[in-house]
Amino acid sequence: MVVSKILVTLFFIISTAIAAENELMSAWKAKNYRKVSDLYRDNPRQDYSRKELVLISYSLRKLRFFRQDIKLNMALVKKEYAKNHNYLLNAIKRGDTIDPDAYPVALKILYWNLFTSYGEIIKGYEHDSKRVEKDHKYFVIFSKILSDLEFREGKADKINDAIIAHRQYLTDKIYRFKTSWLVQYVSWQQDATIKHTTQGNAGLIVTNRGVCLGGDMGIENYRYHFYIDGCFLYGSGGVNNIDQNLIDNYQQSNVPALGFKAGPGASLIVSSSRSRIGIKLPVIYSVQDLTTPQGSDYKIDQGTPISLLASMYSRWQFNKLYFQTEFGKYLQQEQTFWGFGVGKEF
């Protein structure tokens, strides 16, 4: 009775194993990698043959389940080649010369699978992190192993180059705080109006020249720069009468002007030297005292000292130093602004 129960049990186990093997092989032949993966997931501890594990590993990589593939391949290394694996790691640690012919090709292929799976995982990251560093550490280990075993060296070099480039890309994407100072020679214009009690109004245009001393602060990565800049204006300008019919030859020169210019901006970094082009939306606050013409019938209206403008700028980088140009126009006004100067990043 006991013998018959044992035989029935053995028959059931063997039948189940054969059925599972047939199901897995059928899914593989049909290229149904998802089903192969599901069969392995549902019964990961089944005593699969080496051939079946190879097919499962291939299916996992096809589905981009690289972490599951890593676990499977490491289990194979430890199960089938534990002695070779430990000896190789110790030899590398000691700095011994490695004889590639002393290691089976099947083990080298498992190392290759581990190397490429870690590479695919790293290429899937969109942001740098501690997890990237951890995966990269294992990637480097298997890269070193393959190099010492002289296995698929050309292909391994290409993958290494791609991973280095991707790690650099992830690093470059990180935004970092940046500041700089800048001194510019600038020209800016202002509106004013001369009014007569009975004869009407005439426009005045004030054109100033001077310096703007300040800088910017913001964040930038390898591609974009977002910032706020500001500077103090100091200069002087001349006044011209637009309408000669109201008052003949009203002019002034060297009228002192003080103020500041500040606002947000964004730029696109366009070269390896980090030169850039961009836009700004600054506010200009400028005050100066215009002389009223002789006679009580006239009055000068200088309007608001605050104006909004839009400008384009370019920065040509020379290591930490840069040369900058800027050209802008006041919003809803005809006046213009331009400047050029030098600065230094910190």
Side-chain angles (χ1 to χ4, degrees):
M1 187 68 177
V2 175
V3 173
S4 61
K5 287 184 177 180
I6 293 174
L7 290 174
V8 170
T9 303
L10 287 174
F11 176 77
F12 177 77
I13 293 173
I14 294 170
S15 299
T16 302
I18 292 172
E21 180 181 1
N22 290 336
E23 188 177 11
L24 189 146
M25 291 301 297
S26 297
W28 165 259
K29 290 177 181 178
K31 296 184 178 180
N32 189 346
Y33 304 122
R34 173 68 65 174
K35 186 172 183 180
V36 173
S37 171
D38 290 343
L39 289 170
Y40 176 67
R41 181 198 61 199
D42 294 340
N43 194 4
R45 296 188 179 182
Q46 181 175 315
D47 190 17
Y48 294 103
S49 67
R50 183 184 298 183
K51 179 182 177 180
E52 289 174 319
L53 290 174
V54 169
L55 300 182
I56 293 168
S57 174
Y58 183 87
S59 300
L60 292 173
R61 290 198 300 278
K62 276 290 187 178
L63 296 170
R64 303 189 66 79
F65 294 164
F66 297 113
R67 291 202 183 276
Q68 294 91 323
D69 183 56
I70 286 170
K71 290 179 181 178
L72 189 152
N73 278 273
M74 277 306 304
L76 272 171
V77 169
K78 292 177 180 179
K79 178 182 178 182
E80 304 288 340
Y81 305 101
K83 184 176 180 180
N84 297 91
H85 180 62
N86 293 330
Y87 185 84
L88 177 60
L89 292 182
N90 290 328
I92 292 174
K93 187 181 296 185
R94 292 192 303 267
D96 295 347
T97 300
I98 306 299
D99 179 12
D101 295 332
Y103 297 88
V105 174
L107 175 60
K108 297 174 184 178
I109 292 174
L110 292 175
Y111 287 142
W112 176 261
N113 291 343
L114 290 162
F115 169 72
T116 54
S117 288
Y118 272 114
E120 291 296 329
I121 288 171
I122 293 169
K123 286 193 291 184
Y125 284 110
E126 290 294 329
H127 303 283
D128 202 13
S129 65
K130 294 293 184 182
R131 193 171 184 182
V132 180
E133 293 180 8
K134 183 177 179 181
D135 287 330
H136 187 255
K137 181 181 71 173
Y138 290 114
F139 174 83
V140 171
I141 290 172
F142 291 111
S143 175
K144 169 65 174 171
I145 289 173
L146 290 172
S147 177
D148 287 342
L149 292 176
E150 300 177 2
F151 188 70
R152 297 179 181 175
E153 293 178 281
K155 292 182 178 179
D157 288 341
K158 290 181 179 180
I159 294 174
N160 273 311
D161 291 343
I163 296 303
I164 290 171
H166 189 69
R167 286 297 312 274
Q168 186 62 50
Y169 166 71
L170 295 181
T171 302
D172 290 343
K173 281 180 64 176
I174 298 172
Y175 281 95
R176 294 177 172 82
F177 182 72
K178 288 285 186 177
T179 61
S180 74
W181 63 259
L182 174 68
V183 57
Q184 282 185 300
Y185 179 74
V186 296
S187 171
W188 74 101
Q189 295 179 319
Q190 290 181 264
D191 268 338
T193 305
I194 184 168
K195 298 181 177 181
H196 191 272
T197 54
T198 60
Q199 298 179 27
N201 305 331
L204 301 176
I205 186 71
V206 185
T207 301
N208 298 301
R209 303 279 194 277
V211 295
C212 200
L213 181 62
D216 65 53
M217 68 175 68
I219 56 173
E220 69 175 58
N221 63 9
Y222 79 110
R223 190 66 171 169
Y224 302 106
H225 180 203
F226 302 99
Y227 60 91
I228 295 176
D229 74 346
C231 60
F232 291 99
L233 292 165
Y234 175 76
S236 62
V239 186
N240 291 313
N241 180 14
I242 299 174
D243 186 359
Q244 296 292 330
N245 293 324
L246 180 67
I247 182 170
D248 184 34
N249 200 29
Y250 175 77
Q251 293 183 341
Q252 288 181 255
S253 60
N254 299 321
V255 181
L258 292 171
F260 65 84
K261 170 178 166 287
S267 63
L268 179 68
I269 299 172
V270 296
S271 72
S272 58
S273 65
R274 306 195 67 74
S275 295
R276 61 202 70 188
I277 56 175
I279 58 173
K280 298 181 181 182
L281 291 172
V283 171
I284 288 184
Y285 175 83
S286 177
V287 293
Q288 56 193 146
D289 188 13
L290 303 183
T291 302
T292 303
Q294 292 183 349
S296 59
D297 292 337
Y298 290 99
K299 180 182 178 181
I300 300 294
D301 182 3
Q302 294 185 237
T304 176
I306 300 175
S307 301
L308 180 65
L309 63 98
S311 63
M312 296 188 65
Y313 88 102
S314 60
R315 177 188 292 187
W316 308 101
Q317 204 83 19
F318 304 94
N319 294 323
K320 293 293 185 180
L321 297 175
Y322 61 86
F323 175 76
Q324 180 169 300
T325 62
E326 182 177 353
F327 300 92
K329 183 181 181 301
Y330 289 73
L331 299 182
Q332 298 181 336
Q333 298 179 42
E334 295 300 322
Q335 286 70 38
T336 59
F337 174 94
W338 58 260
F340 59 88
V342 294
K344 182 180 181 181
E345 288 187 344
F346 294 96

